[in-house]
Amino acid sequence: MKHKKIEHSKPLVELLHGEAIEEGISRRTALKMMGVGGAATLVGSSPFLQADEAPTAKSEKNAKILIVGGGAGGIMALARLHSALPNADITIIAPNETHLYQPGQVFMAAGLYTLDDIAKENREFIPEDVNWIKDEVASFDPDNNKVTTRAGVEVPYDYMVVATGIVYHYDWIKGLSEEDIGKNSISSVYLNNLEKGTAKGGEVTLHWFNALKEAAASGKKPTVLYTSPNTPIKCGGAPQKILYLSADHLKKNDLGANYIYATDSAKLFHIPEIEKSLLEVQNKYDTITNHFRHNLIAIDTKNKVATFEETYEVKGEYDEDLEEYDISEEKRMVDISYDFIHIVPPMGPPQALVDSQLGWQKGTAKGWLEVDQETLQHRRYPNVFGMGDVCGIPLGKTGGSTRHHGPIAVGNLISALEGKPLMEKFDGYTVCPLKTEYGEIIMAEFNYKGLAPTVPFLDPAKPRFLWWAFDLYQLKPMYWYLMLRGWF
Ligand SMILES: Cc1cc2nc3c(=O)[nH]c(=O)nc-3n(C[C@H](O)[C@H](O)[C@H](O)COP(=O)(O)OP(=O)(O)OC[C@H]3O[C@@H](n4cnc5c(N)ncnc54)[C@H](O)[C@@H]3O)c2cc1C
């Protein structure tokens, strides 16, 4: 069965700033209209803006291809596989009728986007000749090359791409449930329901910003607490984005607060240049106190007290041979009172994966998809590949990384199908647009080796309006019209 060209459900597709393009617009034209063609030429082999990266690997072979997950990774994989494998039988298992551009939740909190800006029908991205099962995988059976859906349907495959993303665990914090978000001065920009297409986190955080401003205007400086957990999280920069945007929201109104950033990490950022720059950013605002190695474990929402497990070092005996002191780690409980709190939930892989043979079976990555950190091929099941946040690899839980996974996972899948060696390698590319104020972003781009700026002659640690404008105005249309179409 030859595939048809993707039919978009709307005759005209709105692009940036009200410009419209006819259905069937070429990728080159779309890039030109978004002004990235030039930028792409500028950055040469750099990952983030690489324009001429459409999938070149193709195969005429017939195979049953299964994609699990209909978010960023699943849809990007689908677009690329659909155009590269004209004779394949492609099935996608994705429960979500609506597709959310999740990075936009931060701009919703900032009052610059609404839900309409970040939501589209998934049907726009799923070609008619693809078998779309609107359900979730309840169990994976990689030994028999099949999955079973919640409805009990067994779906066999020759090759599978797993792109099930991440699951929030608000309830791992004692005393907290998802229902508390948006009440009692508690916010969490992350909150969304991908199956239902809601982004409550963006909405409630906007209200929270305004309530905070009102409280600060009433005379007494509020204490505002921001947390970041001890699990891997998607978009690791989001906890600090909310800290700086909310502080700037007050600053612009000549108001201040006692800000407390309590994170399980030992630093603001793992790359020294970015860390230094963030410390300078913090000096611009009213007092920000950092509490490192603090993991939120419980909350008393009524009395507004958050309990953290703090990990700290204890100096022991002096070792004459090593000529240094023994250092051991200990833990203690710390209570912090707050007036307002922004919570980033602990996160983990979907349960179906944890329960399967596909996750790492032990170690710190237990339950996350056990793929090779370069080829994105499963380490024990070579007909399985990973895309996006679910991958149990050291870096890459961002939409930008997921975009990079696309040509790599799909290219290697096609090589495997063709019986050829896997040539594509993921370098760990991760991008973190750290919003340091309204109008400025540090575009932190890094990979397994360290900093990896797209535009090498711009200091990557410097907050810039350029990156703010790029993130606010260009990334979203690039996501909808290029990335999800597999063009970029
Ligand atoms: C507040 C916020 C801010 C962010 N900011 C940025 C940013 O600035 N830059 C950036 O690059 N990234 C950012 N991200 C991260 C980015 O959105 C994710 O990294 C990206 O969406 C990952 O794609 P994914 O396909 O792995 O997961 P998702 O896009 O989350 O999609 C996973 C899909 O799998 C489905 N699914 C789950 N379990 C199953 C199952 N068992 N069977 C079938 N389907 C299943 C889900 O319903 C979902 O549709 C942000 C995210 C949030 C929430």
Side-chain angles (χ1 to χ4, degrees):
M1 170 186 56
K2 287 263 181 202
H3 292 148
K4 285 186 285 179
K5 179 172 164 292
I6 294 187
E7 299 292 338
H8 307 309
S9 61
K10 290 180 190 161
L12 284 177
V13 187
E14 293 258 314
L15 262 187
L16 186 62
H17 300 316
E19 288 174 278
I21 51 171
E22 298 275 350
E23 182 185 324
I25 184 176
S26 74
R27 180 173 142 270
R28 183 177 295 279
T29 313
L31 281 165
K32 240 167 89 183
M33 289 178 78
M34 286 178 224
V36 292
T41 318
L42 252 186
V43 295
S45 65
S46 187
F48 186 66
L49 291 173
Q50 206 166 50
D52 287 323
E53 213 190 64
T56 46
K58 287 194 185 283
S59 172
E60 295 297 322
K61 291 213 163 137
N62 188 351
K64 281 195 189 71
I65 309 284
L66 175 62
I67 298 162
V68 184
I75 296 295
M76 285 186 217
L78 173 62
R80 286 176 178 269
L81 286 164
H82 186 261
S83 72
L85 301 177
N87 300 313
D89 225 332
I90 303 181
T91 296
I92 183 166
I93 302 180
N96 52 314
E97 300 256 3
T98 303
H99 189 113
L100 286 186
Y101 172 64
Q102 297 175 62
Q105 287 181 217
V106 174
F107 282 133
M108 281 176 77
L112 300 167
Y113 284 175
T114 63
L115 181 60
D116 280 350
D117 291 312
I118 71 159
K120 278 188 186 291
E121 282 181 30
N122 233 359
R123 175 42 88 193
E124 276 192 44
F125 309 105
I126 301 181
E128 306 248 319
D129 58 354
V130 166
N131 177 25
W132 178 10
I133 300 176
K134 287 181 198 165
D135 200 348
E136 273 196 1
V137 167
S139 64
F140 291 93
D141 181 1
D143 289 316
N144 295 300
N145 295 325
K146 65 175 185 185
V147 302
T148 305
T149 65
R150 276 188 308 208
V153 176
E154 286 192 356
V155 184
Y157 60 85
D158 298 316
Y159 289 87
M160 173 168 68
V161 176
V162 180
T164 47
I166 236 170
V167 174
Y168 301 141
H169 292 289
Y170 287 96
D171 55 347
W172 286 1
I173 298 163
K174 198 172 157 215
L176 185 75
S177 78
E178 219 172 273
E179 283 67 49
D180 291 310
I181 310 303
K183 297 180 195 151
N184 295 316
S185 311
I186 302 174
S187 187
S188 179
V189 75
Y190 278 91
L191 186 58
N192 55 23
N193 184 321
L194 296 178
E195 192 170 340
K196 295 189 178 138
T198 58
K200 191 176 162 195
E203 287 155 25
V204 300
T205 307
L206 172 61
H207 292 304
W208 186 86
F209 272 31
N210 289 328
L212 174 57
K213 190 173 85 181
E214 272 175 37
S218 70
K220 187 177 162 280
K221 265 192 191 182
T223 296
V224 196
L225 185 53
Y226 306 79
T227 72
S228 187
N230 68 347
T231 61
I233 58 173
K234 55 180 156 187
C235 187
Q240 286 186 71
K241 294 179 194 176
I242 296 302
L243 164 63
Y244 305 133
L245 286 176
S246 58
D248 195 36
H249 190 55
L250 265 57
K251 189 171 175 229
K252 284 192 180 348
N253 290 279
D254 290 325
L255 297 169
N258 299 312
Y259 305 105
I260 300 174
Y261 181 59
T263 171
D264 185 68
S265 303
K267 294 174 175 177
L268 288 181
F269 210 86
H270 70 285
I271 294 178
E273 293 90 330
I274 309 284
E275 160 100 350
K276 184 166 168 275
S277 188
L278 287 171
L279 287 166
E280 280 163 21
V281 165
Q282 292 201 340
N283 287 332
K284 289 198 303 196
Y285 297 115
D286 210 352
T287 345
I288 298 181
T289 311
N290 297 312
H291 288 298
F292 296 112
R293 309 298 307 272
H294 277 59
N295 180 39
L296 179 66
I297 55 163
I299 188 166
D300 176 347
T301 56
K302 210 164 133 227
N303 294 304
K304 296 191 169 181
V305 179
T307 303
F308 294 84
E309 185 179 69
E310 182 194 1
T311 306
Y312 64 102
E313 289 185 345
V314 178
K315 203 162 147 187
E317 299 281 301
Y318 187 74
D319 188 314
E320 299 285 351
D321 298 329
L322 292 174
E323 296 183 353
E324 61 185 31
Y325 287 94
D326 288 336
I327 301 285
S328 61
E329 279 195 345
E330 294 198 2
K331 295 194 187 289
R332 63 184 162 215
M333 297 303 147
V334 177
D335 284 345
I336 301 181
S337 296
Y338 63 85
D339 297 306
F340 290 83
I341 186 166
H342 180 270
I343 295 174
V344 177
M347 303 185 196
Q351 197 57 42
L353 196 65
V354 178
D355 295 339
S356 80
Q357 277 300 315
L358 289 178
W360 286 89
Q361 299 297 299
K362 56 183 181 182
T364 49
K366 192 165 187 284
W368 298 95
L369 189 68
E370 189 184 329
V371 289
D372 179 87
Q373 68 176 51
E374 290 186 332
T375 64
L376 305 178
Q377 182 186 41
H378 200 279
R379 287 160 36 102
R380 288 174 284 117
Y381 297 97
N383 60 341
V384 176
F385 290 81
M387 287 272 299
D389 296 344
V390 74
C391 295
I393 56 179
L395 288 178
K397 296 204 186 315
T398 68
S401 319
T402 307
R403 188 191 83 67
H404 279 244
H405 293 170
I408 291 153
V410 168
N412 285 338
L413 187 156
I414 293 166
S415 297
L417 177 64
E418 289 279 323
K420 294 182 181 160
L422 312 194
M423 300 306 286
E424 306 289 345
K425 289 194 162 54
F426 179 57
D427 65 0
Y429 178 79
T430 306
V431 57
C432 206
L434 289 157
K435 294 150 181 83
T436 55
E437 63 173 65
Y438 278 77
E440 284 200 350
I441 278 179
I442 295 175
M443 191 59 84
E445 294 172 89
F446 47 94
N447 60 25
Y448 294 139
K449 291 187 183 149
L451 276 172
T454 290
V455 186
F457 52 82
L458 291 181
D459 176 359
K462 193 171 159 17
R464 291 175 196 278
F465 173 73
L466 169 73
W467 295 131
W468 173 271
F470 181 65
D471 192 355
L472 182 62
Y473 299 116
Q474 300 233 316
L475 274 180
K476 182 162 59 76
M478 282 168 72
Y479 182 81
W480 294 131
Y481 301 114
L482 297 175
M483 289 158 66
L484 294 188
R485 314 273 191 225
W487 285 351
F488 190 69

